[in-house]
């Protein structure tokens, strides 16, 4: 039994069983990748970020809108203006959708019919496109399923219909990435097979490599997806791709090292098991330090808060699994198959001497300064150009033929670029927002935000259509008061003339007419008093918010007091005339009392004449006062004070305003929102700056007002993009510094040379920067778009880091194991490393070609960056290593240069300058200085 166990151990069968168990468990527990990408693929923002806070507000909004998101049903007539028949068809479709609202989870439908005040925001200016807004519950189901169902439901004959929202567009982007992920995986594995087959002219070796890649990849992918599914670990929509990219490249490179060493030993007649053990012994240290470098470098990304960066931390685990598989899984098949691994090619292919690195190194040793200047020039161009490149934080760049994206483009074309991605400003207050004071400040905030340069429109509770409601403003109200005053002035002038005439000859037949006229005047004055009271309230409101003079306020109060006195006197005169008319009637009907009635009549006439005389004077005085007030109100109507919002109690209780209150406030009326439409779609250049200005303007506008303690929260796709941009730009330099710093530190430790390792790593950084800029130029030429998606640097970061670690590790080991002086090592050492660098470059280039199968601009850019970095790095490294290596020896060995100056008369007690210059300089002991070694023939 022990012998059998020993034999199984000798043949590494236990390692094979272990990996079979691991891969079986990984496959069984692997969740649905498409589902993970859909729900966990988007960047996870911090709980303190503005979009997350806005979501929490929306989840407790009330009015049956908790946990909903807005979906735009777009109806477009491509032939031009919507006809009446088409508008009726849209209303019919909307009515049918309303009946099925429970089935689709629709909590609210907003149309031009049920919300006329929002018409300017729901119908385009060219009247070719109408929007029906739907508030859909998040609990209804997957976004993509709801979008497909609603798209079928709103189909209308003769119109192009779309269902779009930022949530649907983001889900469409994830769906597109998930659709090509499997294709990329298969193409990458296939190209890896072909590449290994080309290198070894074999069929079995590529299959073994394929199994190693597959087992390592499935194990890591299952771990990453289970962490995201069960423990909410960070997950990116590109996680399956960058895991495959890193694992396949590293496995290909380690397999190439292993098979190359193994073939040399088996061709020399060494037993397969012994040869396998010898290869593990020879390559173990190299694989160990490469695995350790990549594991620590990428594992450190788990320390970051930004989820899209933290998701790359799982690569550290992936590289550890890959390194373990390279020294345990591949040897199982190598020990069992031996030379059969390289079937059908029985003889080892003769590798031609690769002289490119030797020639580049010779040039660097011949003219080190020229090489350094040329390389640094191109590196500087690359670094400068790369620094000027802009990233795009919009995820719709690659989505082809998606109805949601097309609907967003229709909105941008007919309503403005920012219509499909509005910004929502939530305002939370401690007091209710349904009173004049709060509404006045809210309206001022709306007008202030709309005046900003990057804003196209703003809707709010006081301006639901994006434009001021004229009847809510003092100017419109003053217009009505001025009209009434103008009519009253004319009536008073007529009354004054009639009273003057009646004083001269008051007849009994005219008494009834005078009574009727005075009653009418009394009614007009009562109405004028009421309007004056309303005017006084409006003037008080306007005066409290403007710099109206105190004299104008006193004139207004004096006008109202006079008007009240005139009303009282007119009422008294009317009563007297009524009594007079009754008396005259009784006189004509009863002759017996004529004398008595006549005396009463005469007395009444005297009383009326006296009253009318006083009334005429008061009317004349009142007419003069009204003229002054009319002039004052006319000036006030044209002033800034008249542009202030003032809602009367009647207007506050009107159905129009109550509908706006329901649409824009929560159930307690203490929170409201303003919808801000920007002039441009979200972009890295202007969006963040515009949002910062909007926040600053809103805060400044509310400072010192009744809303000074209100909480402001911004949300929307532009805010999400701005948050991503801020976090990414904040963390990217730290990511680069941490990963490259760890890699450089380990490279220094392995090579035991600070300067040389720094020079090599600087070459890599310059190569990456130059390739980034060249790729940007190529993509601009190919696609017309010079902006990269913000995830391109992160994805390209994986293969180029693998390239740097693998190639620089080999160079560092060659330098460390060399016992000759630096100048003696440079040419032969670089030449020896260059013999395998071309194979590494071939593997790196072949390993990323599978990304092109996705036809994605993101992955195409990653492919070009990787290929160009591999080429430029393999051209620059021998130049820089030889040039800086030689300069680091010859510069410290040079004697300091002394400037010759004219001799001066020496002073007593001090030696002359010439005597000091002629002093013998201390020499370097050549027996102890390794930098004084003579150059070889090649170096000459």
């Amino acid at each position: 039994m022990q012998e059998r166990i020993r034999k199984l151990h000798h043949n590494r069968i236990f390692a094979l069983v272990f990996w079979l168990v691991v891969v079986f468990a990984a496959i069984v527990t692997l969740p649905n990748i498409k589902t993970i990408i859909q729900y966990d693929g988007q960047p996870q923002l911090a709980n303190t970020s503005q979009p997350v806070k806005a979501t929490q507000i929306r989840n407790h909004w009330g009015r049956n809108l908790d946990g909903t998101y807005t979906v735009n049903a777009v109806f477009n007539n491509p032939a031009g203006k919507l006809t009446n028949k088409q508008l009726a068809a849209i209303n019919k479709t909307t009515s049918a959708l309303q009946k099925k609202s429970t089935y689709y989870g629709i909590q609210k439908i907003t149309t031009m019919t049920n919300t006329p005040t929002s018409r300017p925001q729901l119908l385009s200016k060219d009247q070719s496109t109408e929007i029906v807004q739907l508030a859909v519950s998040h609990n209804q189901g997957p976004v993509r399923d709801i979008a497909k169902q609603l798209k079928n439901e709103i189909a209308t004959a003769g119109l192009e219909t779309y269902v779009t929202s930022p949530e649907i567009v983001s889900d469409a982007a994830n769906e597109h990435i998930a659709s090509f992920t499997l294709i990329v995986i298969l193409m990458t594995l296939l190209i890896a097979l072909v590449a290994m087959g080309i290198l070894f002219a074999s069929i079995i070796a590529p299959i073994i490599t394929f199994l190693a890649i597959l087992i390592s990849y499935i194990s890591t992918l299952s771990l990453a997806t289970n962490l995201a599914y069960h423990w909410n670990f960070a997950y990116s929509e590109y996680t399956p791709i960058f895991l495959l990219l890193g694992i396949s490249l590293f496995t290909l490179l380690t397999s190439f090292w292993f098979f190359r060493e193994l073939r040399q030993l088996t061709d020399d007649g060494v037993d397969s098991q012994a040869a396998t053990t010898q290869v593990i012994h020879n390559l173990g240290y190299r694989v160990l330090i490469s695995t350790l470098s990549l594991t620590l470098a990428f594992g450190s990304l788990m320390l970051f808060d930004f989820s899209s960066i933290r998701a790359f931390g799982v690569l550290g685990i992936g590289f550890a699994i890959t390194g373990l598989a390279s020294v345990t899984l591949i040897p199982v098949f190598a020990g069992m198959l031996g030379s059969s691994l390289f079937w059908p090619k029985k003889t080892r292919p003769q590798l031609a001497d690769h002289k490119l690195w030797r020639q580049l190194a010779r040039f660097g040793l011949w003219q080190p300064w020229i090489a350094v200047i040329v390389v640094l020039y191109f590196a500087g161009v690359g670094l400068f150009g790369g620094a000027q490149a802009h990233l795009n934080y919009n995820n719709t760049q690659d989505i082809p033929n998606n109805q949601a994206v097309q609907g967003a483009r229709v909105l941008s074309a007919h309503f403005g670029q920012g219509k499909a991605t509005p910004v929502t400003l939530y305002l939370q207050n401690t007091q209710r927002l349904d009173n004049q004071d709060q509404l006045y400040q809210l309206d001022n905030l709306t007008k202030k935000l709309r005046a900003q340069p990057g804003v196209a429109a703003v809707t709010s509770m006081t301006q639901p259509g994006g434009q001021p409601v004229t009847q809510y403003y003092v100017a419109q109200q003053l217009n009505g008061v001025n009209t009434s005053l103008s009519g009253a002035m004319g009536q008073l002038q007529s009354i004054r003339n009639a009273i003057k005439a009646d004083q001269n000859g008051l007849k009994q037949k005219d008494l009834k007419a005078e009574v009727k006229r005075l009653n009418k005047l009394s009614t007009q004055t009562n109405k004028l008093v009421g309007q004056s009271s309303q005017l006084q309230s409006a003037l008080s409101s306007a005066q409290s918010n403007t710099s109206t003079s105190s004299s104008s306020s006193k004139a207004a109060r004096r006008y109202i007091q006079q008007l009240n006195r005139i009303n009282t006197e007119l009422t008294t005169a009317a009563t007297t005339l009524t009594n007079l008319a009754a008396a005259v009637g009784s006189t004509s009907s009863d002759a017996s009392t004529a004398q008595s009635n006549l005396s009463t009549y005469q007395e009444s006439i005297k009383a009326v004449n006296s009253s009318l005389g006083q009334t005429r004077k008061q009317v004349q005085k009142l007419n003069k006062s009204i003229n002054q007030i009319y002039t004052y109100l006319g000036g006030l109507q044209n002033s800034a004070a008249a542009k202030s919002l003032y809602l009367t109690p009647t207007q506050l209780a009107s159905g129009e305003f109550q509908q706006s209150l329901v649409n824009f406030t929560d159930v307690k009326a203490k929170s409201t929102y303003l919808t801000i439409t920007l002039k441009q779609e979200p972009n890295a250049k202007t969006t963040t700056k515009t949002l910062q200005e909007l926040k600053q303007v809103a805060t400044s506008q509310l400072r010192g007002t009744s809303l000074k303690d209100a909480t402001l929260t911004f949300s929307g796709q532009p805010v999400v993009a701005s948050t991503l941009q801020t976090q990414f730009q904040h963390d990217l330099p730290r990511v680069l510094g941490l990963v490259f710093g760890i890699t450089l530190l380990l490279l220094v430790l392995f090579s035991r040379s600070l300067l040389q390792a720094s020079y090599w790593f600087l070459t890599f950084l310059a190569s990456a920067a130059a390739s980034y800029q060249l790729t940007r130029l190529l993509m601009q030429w190919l696609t017309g778009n010079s902006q990269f998606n913000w995830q391109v640097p992160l994805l390209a970061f994986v293969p180029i880091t693998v390239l740097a670690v693998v190639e620089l590790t080999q160079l560092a080991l060659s330098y460390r194991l060399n016992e000759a002086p630096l100048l003696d090592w440079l040419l032969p050492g670089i030449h020896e490393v260059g013999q395998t660098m071309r194979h590494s470059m071939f593997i790196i280039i072949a390993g990323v070609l599978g990304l092109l199968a996705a036809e994605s601009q993101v992955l195409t850019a990653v492919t070009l960056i990787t290929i160009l970095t591999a080429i430029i790095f393999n051209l620059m490294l021998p130049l820089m290593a030889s040039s800086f290596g030689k300069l680091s020896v010859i510069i410290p060995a040079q004697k300091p240069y002394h400037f010759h100056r004219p001799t001066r008369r020496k002073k007593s007690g001090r030696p002359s300058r010439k005597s000091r210059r002629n002093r013998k300089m201390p020499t370097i002991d050549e027996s102890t200085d390794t930098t004084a070694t003579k150059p070889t023939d090649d170096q000459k």
Side-chain angles (χ1 to χ4, degrees):
M1 185 66 181
Q2 292 181 351
E3 180 63 22
R4 183 175 297 178
I5 293 176
R6 187 192 66 80
K7 188 175 181 179
L8 291 175
H9 176 70
H10 177 72
N11 293 328
R12 298 178 175 84
I13 301 301
F14 291 119
L16 179 60
V17 173
F18 168 77
W19 284 111
L20 290 176
V21 172
V22 169
V23 73
F24 177 76
I27 293 174
V28 171
T29 60
L30 181 65
N32 189 295
I33 296 178
K34 288 188 176 182
T35 303
I36 296 296
I37 291 177
Q38 177 183 355
Y39 290 102
D40 300 311
Q42 289 298 313
Q44 301 172 6
L45 303 181
N47 291 331
T48 57
S49 63
Q50 294 279 301
V52 175
K53 290 181 178 179
T55 301
Q56 295 172 354
I57 295 174
R58 193 67 179 179
N59 288 339
H60 300 86
W61 191 256
R63 304 188 189 277
N64 295 325
L65 297 178
D66 293 350
T68 60
Y69 60 97
T70 301
V71 173
N72 290 323
V74 183
F75 299 85
N76 172 251
N77 181 15
K81 182 179 178 181
L82 290 168
T83 63
N84 293 332
K85 183 178 179 181
Q86 290 173 335
L87 291 173
I90 294 174
N91 293 334
K92 183 178 180 181
T93 301
T94 306
S95 300
L97 185 63
Q98 179 72 52
K99 297 177 181 178
K100 301 179 181 179
S101 59
T102 304
Y103 176 78
Y104 293 114
I106 301 174
Q107 304 298 322
K108 182 180 179 181
I109 298 180
T110 303
T111 66
M112 294 191 304
T113 304
N114 59 26
T115 313
T117 54
S118 299
R119 181 184 178 89
Q121 298 300 314
L122 300 178
L123 183 65
S124 62
K125 292 182 179 180
D126 59 7
Q127 298 185 7
S128 66
T129 308
E130 181 181 348
I131 301 175
V132 175
Q133 292 184 340
L134 313 173
V136 182
S137 174
H138 277 291
N139 298 327
Q140 185 62 23
V143 173
R144 66 186 60 167
D145 295 340
I146 296 299
K148 292 178 181 178
Q149 294 173 4
L150 290 177
K151 178 66 171 63
N152 296 329
E153 190 66 34
I154 67 171
T156 304
L159 296 176
E160 293 181 351
T161 57
Y162 311 93
V163 176
T164 184
S165 73
E167 292 83 359
I168 297 176
V169 172
S170 297
D171 182 75
N174 286 348
E175 185 179 15
H176 177 62
I177 294 172
S179 67
F180 63 65
T181 297
L182 181 60
I183 299 176
V184 170
I185 292 173
L186 295 177
M187 288 300 299
T188 301
L189 293 176
L190 178 61
I191 294 177
L193 275 170
V194 175
M196 291 299 292
I198 293 174
L199 288 174
F200 290 99
S202 170
I203 297 177
I204 306 300
I207 294 177
I208 302 303
T209 305
F210 173 81
L211 291 176
I213 294 175
L214 195 61
I215 291 175
S216 301
Y217 176 65
I218 292 178
S219 302
T220 308
L221 181 62
S222 179
L223 177 63
T225 50
N226 276 286
L227 287 174
Y229 185 76
H230 295 289
W231 289 279
N232 200 29
F233 188 78
Y235 197 88
S236 170
E237 61 267 42
Y238 289 102
T239 293
I241 293 178
F242 68 67
L243 283 178
L244 176 68
L245 203 58
I247 290 173
S248 62
L249 289 178
F250 191 53
T251 305
L252 285 172
L253 291 169
T254 53
S255 299
F256 170 73
W257 301 339
F258 189 94
F259 292 145
R260 186 184 58 180
E261 294 286 338
L262 180 67
R263 181 147 203 177
Q264 291 178 355
L265 293 175
T266 55
D267 286 350
D268 294 338
V270 181
D271 179 70
S272 60
Q273 291 293 346
T276 301
T277 303
Q278 183 64 33
V279 171
I280 295 175
H281 181 267
N282 294 340
L283 296 179
Y285 184 67
R286 183 176 174 183
V287 174
L288 174 63
I289 61 176
S290 299
T291 303
L292 182 62
S293 299
L294 293 171
T295 299
L296 292 179
F298 284 95
S300 63
L301 299 182
M302 293 184 182
L303 302 175
F304 287 84
D305 293 332
F306 189 24
S307 64
S308 295
I309 293 178
R310 193 168 66 252
F312 281 77
V314 76
L315 258 176
I317 302 175
F319 284 123
I321 294 175
T322 304
L324 183 62
S326 298
V327 296
T328 58
L329 181 61
I330 294 179
V332 173
F333 300 99
M336 290 189 297
L337 298 176
S339 59
S340 299
L341 273 171
F342 308 104
W343 180 85
K345 193 73 173 181
K346 295 183 179 181
T347 59
R348 182 172 54 189
Q350 297 295 324
L351 300 179
D353 187 19
H354 187 59
K355 297 182 179 180
L356 177 61
W357 272 44
R358 182 182 182 87
Q359 298 301 326
L360 292 173
R362 285 175 64 89
F363 180 81
L365 290 172
W366 174 53
Q367 292 292 343
W369 285 113
I370 296 178
V372 169
I373 291 173
V374 171
V375 172
L376 290 182
Y377 170 77
F378 287 106
V381 172
L383 286 171
F384 178 78
Q388 299 300 317
H390 298 287
L391 297 177
N392 183 10
Y393 295 86
N394 188 358
N395 57 357
T396 63
Q397 187 175 2
D398 278 345
I399 307 177
N401 301 325
N402 181 271
Q403 67 87 26
V405 178
Q406 292 176 357
R409 291 170 182 167
V410 169
L411 291 180
S412 299
H414 295 277
F415 286 88
Q417 292 187 14
K419 182 64 176 179
T421 54
V423 176
T424 303
L425 170 58
Y426 289 96
L427 187 148
Q428 291 178 296
N429 194 35
T430 56
Q431 299 177 355
R432 292 180 63 87
L433 299 171
D434 55 355
N435 56 81
Q436 164 59 26
D437 187 22
Q438 313 287 355
L439 294 173
Y440 174 78
Q441 303 299 338
L442 185 62
D443 190 71
N444 287 342
L445 175 61
T446 304
K447 292 186 290 187
K448 191 71 174 180
L449 292 175
R450 187 171 55 246
Q452 298 309 303
V455 177
V458 181
T459 61
S460 66
M461 181 165 47
T462 59
Q463 300 184 25
Q467 296 295 330
V469 182
T470 56
Q471 61 265 30
Y472 292 167
Y473 292 86
V474 174
Q476 182 68 18
Q477 297 165 1
L478 286 176
N479 185 46
V481 173
N482 284 339
T483 302
S484 298
L485 283 177
S486 179
M489 289 168 59
Q491 292 177 5
L492 288 175
Q493 183 65 29
S494 300
I495 292 173
R496 186 169 68 87
N497 295 334
I499 291 175
K500 183 177 181 181
D502 289 341
Q503 278 186 292
N504 297 329
L506 187 63
K507 299 179 181 180
Q508 189 265 342
K509 65 178 181 179
D510 297 327
L511 290 180
K512 292 183 179 180
E514 293 298 332
V515 171
K516 184 177 181 181
R517 188 190 306 175
L518 289 178
N519 284 330
K520 184 177 181 182
L521 178 61
S522 178
T523 303
Q524 291 291 335
T525 55
N526 284 327
K527 180 179 180 182
L528 195 59
V529 169
Q531 293 178 345
S532 300
S533 301
Q534 180 178 345
L535 174 63
Q536 187 179 22
S537 300
L539 290 175
S540 301
S541 176
Q543 185 183 10
S544 64
N545 298 286
T546 60
S547 57
T548 307
S549 64
S550 59
S551 61
S552 299
S553 177
K554 292 179 180 179
R557 290 195 297 270
R558 185 168 57 253
Y559 151 69
I560 294 170
Q561 292 173 0
Q562 292 175 353
L563 195 60
N564 288 329
R565 286 198 300 271
I566 292 299
N567 183 58
T568 302
E569 291 174 358
L570 289 175
T571 303
T572 303
T575 303
T576 304
L577 286 176
T578 301
N579 296 333
L580 177 59
V584 171
S586 61
T587 301
S588 60
S589 61
D590 190 3
S592 63
T593 57
Q595 184 65 32
S596 175
N597 289 337
L598 183 59
S599 63
T600 304
Y601 171 75
Q602 291 177 348
E603 293 176 359
S604 298
I605 289 295
K606 292 179 181 179
V608 169
N609 282 331
S610 177
S611 177
L612 290 178
Q614 295 178 2
T615 301
R616 184 176 63 83
K617 294 179 181 179
Q618 292 293 335
V619 168
Q620 186 177 3
K621 189 176 181 181
L622 176 61
N623 195 25
K624 183 178 180 181
S625 298
I626 288 179
N627 280 323
Q628 295 176 355
I629 295 300
Y630 184 78
T631 303
Y632 164 72
L633 293 179
L636 180 62
Q637 186 178 6
N638 296 323
S639 67
K643 298 178 182 179
S644 302
L645 180 82
Y646 176 75
L647 277 82
T648 64
T650 302
Q651 290 174 329
L652 287 173
S654 65
E656 181 178 337
F657 179 78
Q658 288 299 315
Q659 183 185 45
S660 180
L661 185 70
V662 171
N663 290 338
F664 285 89
T665 62
D666 66 346
V667 66
K668 297 180 180 179
K670 294 184 178 181
S671 298
T672 186
Y673 68 89
L674 293 82
T675 302
I676 305 170
T677 303
L678 302 181
K679 293 182 179 179
Q680 296 181 350
E681 294 179 353
N683 60 80
K685 294 182 179 179
T686 61
T687 299
T688 299
K689 181 180 179 181
T690 301
L691 291 175
Q692 290 175 350
E693 292 176 351
L694 290 178
K695 185 175 182 180
Q696 182 179 2
V697 167
T699 304
S700 301
Q701 179 65 31
L702 299 181
R703 187 179 296 119
T705 68
S706 57
L707 296 177
K708 63 180 182 299
D709 297 326
T711 303
L712 302 179
T713 306
F714 287 85
S715 70
Q717 183 61 33
V719 183
V720 173
S722 176
T723 304
L724 290 178
Q725 179 180 356
T726 302
Q727 292 184 351
F728 185 72
Q729 291 180 347
H730 177 267
D731 288 342
L732 183 60
R734 299 185 180 188
V735 170
L736 298 178
L738 182 60
V739 173
F740 289 156
I742 291 176
T743 305
L744 177 59
L745 177 62
L746 294 176
L747 190 64
V748 170
L749 294 177
F750 297 146
S751 65
R752 297 182 181 178
S753 173
L754 175 61
L755 285 179
Q756 301 306 317
S758 300
Y759 297 150
W760 305 337
F761 202 77
L762 178 64
T763 305
F764 162 69
L765 295 180
S767 303
S771 65
Y772 186 89
Q773 174 64 4
L774 288 175
T775 302
R776 180 167 169 262
L777 296 176
L778 285 174
M779 292 297 293
Q780 185 175 7
W781 176 66
L782 292 173
T783 64
N785 184 14
S786 62
Q787 289 186 334
F788 286 149
N789 183 274
W790 65 278
Q791 300 217 48
V792 167
L794 290 176
L795 293 172
F797 186 58
V798 176
I800 65 174
T801 304
V802 173
L803 168 69
V805 168
V806 169
E807 296 201 358
L808 293 181
T809 297
Q810 183 178 355
L811 191 62
L813 288 177
S814 175
Y815 177 79
R816 177 179 177 177
L817 299 176
N818 172 62
E819 297 181 356
L822 178 60
L823 288 178
D824 292 340
W825 169 82
L826 281 175
L827 187 61
I830 292 176
H831 174 65
E832 179 185 1
V833 174
Q835 296 306 303
T836 59
M837 286 301 181
R838 66 184 187 275
H839 300 109
S840 300
M841 185 174 66
F842 172 75
I843 291 173
I844 292 292
I845 294 175
V848 298
L849 288 179
L851 301 180
L852 298 177
E855 298 182 356
S856 166
Q857 293 187 28
V858 174
L859 298 185
T860 301
V862 173
T863 304
L864 292 176
I865 291 174
T866 305
I867 293 175
L868 291 175
T869 301
I871 296 173
I872 296 174
F873 182 53
N874 278 275
L875 294 177
M876 290 178 60
L877 183 58
L879 280 172
M880 295 287 280
S882 59
S883 300
F884 277 117
K886 183 177 181 180
L887 292 175
S888 64
V889 173
I890 65 176
I891 291 179
Q894 290 180 351
K895 295 182 179 181
Y897 180 79
H898 295 275
F899 293 94
H900 294 276
R901 298 181 181 178
T903 59
R904 296 180 181 179
R905 185 174 59 186
K906 64 179 181 180
K907 297 181 181 180
S908 58
R910 292 185 60 191
S912 65
R913 295 180 181 271
K914 182 176 181 181
S915 62
R916 293 199 300 269
R917 287 197 304 269
N918 290 335
R919 289 178 181 176
K920 185 178 181 180
M921 298 297 294
T923 59
I924 300 176
D925 187 1
E926 295 184 359
S927 61
T928 60
D929 183 20
T930 59
T931 64
T933 305
K934 295 181 179 181
T936 63
D937 293 337
D938 289 332
Q939 294 166 351
K940 295 178 182 178

